[in-house]
Amino acid sequence: MLGMKLSCVTPLKTGRQRTMALRHRTNNAAPQQNNDNINIVLLGKKGVGKSSSGNTILGEERFKCGRSLSAVTQESTVQRSVIGGRSVSVIDTPGFFCTNLSQEKLSREFARSVFLSSPGVHAFLFVVPFGRFTKQEEEILEKVKKVFGKDVLKHVILLFTYGDECIRERMDEEIDGNDVVRRVVQSCQGYHVLNNKDLTDRQQVSDLLMKIDSIERNQGYYTNEVYEWAQKWPLEQYGKYLKTILMK
């Protein structure tokens, strides 16, 4: 399906353009996948704690975050750290689908997030504050599937923030008592809870990386036509292609 849609994209005209696109990808994308690298993409509405979660995972303040009436994160960015001897790349994104970004800017940032996480992703963390899960989150996941492909849910973990405000031992019970949350958790690869107020709690990060490792063992890292074409087209051209998908 994606391959058919891409036929409407104007092909690269020169070898120089291909070289520039390859150079851009090599300099900015996350490291090539191997057993020592982990690629993580943060998804979710604005203000849910994506940037804070990225900082918690990396163990230090790398992403700008804080309460604001407008989105703090305006463009997709990547930060890396070595955790337990492994290179971990975290790609933070704007609040896709729930943002004041123009369609043009939104498409470009979606494209940028794909470029930064090429050639593939070990886990997409769909970030939701504990106690604030609504039907809209389920709708956002449907849009994520539209862009990244239906198999993307095999690599999605529901990440609850505000872990300091919940009783973790009762999370399964809480989830079972909410039809929408239970349905989403079952469609994804489970859930995880983070307390972003405590960057020193590395056990919660180790537990998350273990869950991601489990996905990798069972599924490998996620890549599809979206990622394959992102490695062939310049960012601007690829953004125009994604815009046609997002507008549907």
Side-chain angles (χ1 to χ4, degrees):
M1 182 69 70
L2 286 172
M4 293 175 62
K5 293 177 180 176
L6 280 168
S7 62
C8 65
V9 180
T10 304
L12 295 176
K13 295 182 179 180
T14 68
R16 181 173 179 274
Q17 287 177 304
R18 293 188 183 91
T19 301
M20 291 177 64
L22 178 60
R23 186 176 301 158
H24 173 87
R25 183 173 72 253
T26 302
N27 292 339
N28 296 284
Q32 292 289 313
Q33 305 304 310
N34 58 50
N35 292 333
D36 294 325
N37 294 332
I38 300 177
N39 252 14
I40 299 170
V41 174
L42 301 168
L43 298 173
K45 297 188 295 188
K46 68 178 182 180
V48 296
K50 295 189 300 297
S51 300
S52 295
S53 297
N55 291 336
T56 299
I57 294 170
L58 297 172
E60 54 186 307
E61 300 286 347
R62 294 287 197 86
F63 296 107
K64 181 181 178 182
C65 59
R67 292 189 178 277
S68 174
L69 294 177
S70 57
V72 175
T73 301
Q74 294 290 330
E75 65 178 34
S76 299
T77 57
V78 61
Q79 293 289 342
R80 305 180 182 91
S81 185
V82 176
I83 303 175
R86 307 171 70 186
S87 175
V88 177
S89 298
V90 178
I91 294 88
D92 191 15
T93 64
F96 292 143
F97 310 117
C98 300
T99 178
N100 292 326
L101 294 178
S102 66
Q103 196 70 48
E104 196 75 33
K105 178 71 171 176
L106 180 61
S107 302
R108 180 179 175 83
E109 289 313 313
F110 240 125
R112 191 194 305 275
S113 72
V114 173
F115 268 94
L116 291 175
S117 56
S118 291
V121 178
H122 290 94
F124 294 87
L125 301 182
F126 185 56
V127 184
V128 181
F130 173 74
R132 304 182 196 175
F133 200 101
T134 67
K135 180 70 175 177
Q136 188 179 40
E137 272 68 32
E138 191 172 29
E139 294 170 354
I140 291 175
L141 273 182
E142 287 300 313
K143 294 178 180 178
V144 170
K145 285 167 58 179
K146 181 186 294 185
V147 174
F148 290 104
K150 62 179 181 179
D151 289 336
V152 70
L153 294 187
K154 295 179 181 179
H155 292 261
V156 173
I157 295 175
L158 188 60
L159 183 67
F160 289 105
T161 52
Y162 294 89
D164 57 307
E165 298 181 6
C166 70
I167 302 174
R168 301 195 186 200
E169 293 76 12
R170 294 184 55 187
M171 282 300 295
D172 288 343
E173 181 182 340
E174 293 265 8
I175 290 171
D176 287 340
N178 186 306
D179 291 341
V180 177
V181 180
R182 184 177 67 251
R183 186 164 57 243
V184 170
V185 170
Q186 290 174 346
S187 69
C188 301
Q189 301 306 301
Y191 72 91
H192 191 73
V193 180
L194 278 186
N195 175 9
N196 291 327
K197 291 184 178 180
D198 188 2
L199 269 66
T200 64
D201 181 1
R202 303 310 293 162
Q203 187 59 50
Q204 62 177 342
V205 176
S206 296
D207 292 343
L208 173 61
L209 295 182
M210 285 179 62
K211 292 178 181 180
I212 294 174
D213 282 339
S214 177
I215 293 176
E216 182 184 7
R217 285 194 300 271
N218 295 327
Q219 308 287 347
Y221 70 88
Y222 184 72
T223 189
N224 64 354
E225 291 95 334
V226 166
Y227 280 92
E228 291 171 5
W229 284 98
Q231 296 179 70
K232 298 178 181 179
W233 307 106
L235 179 60
E236 291 290 344
Q237 194 169 1
Y238 185 67
K240 292 178 181 179
Y241 157 64
L242 283 185
K243 183 179 178 180
T244 64
I245 297 178
L246 292 168
M247 291 181 66
K248 292 183 178 180

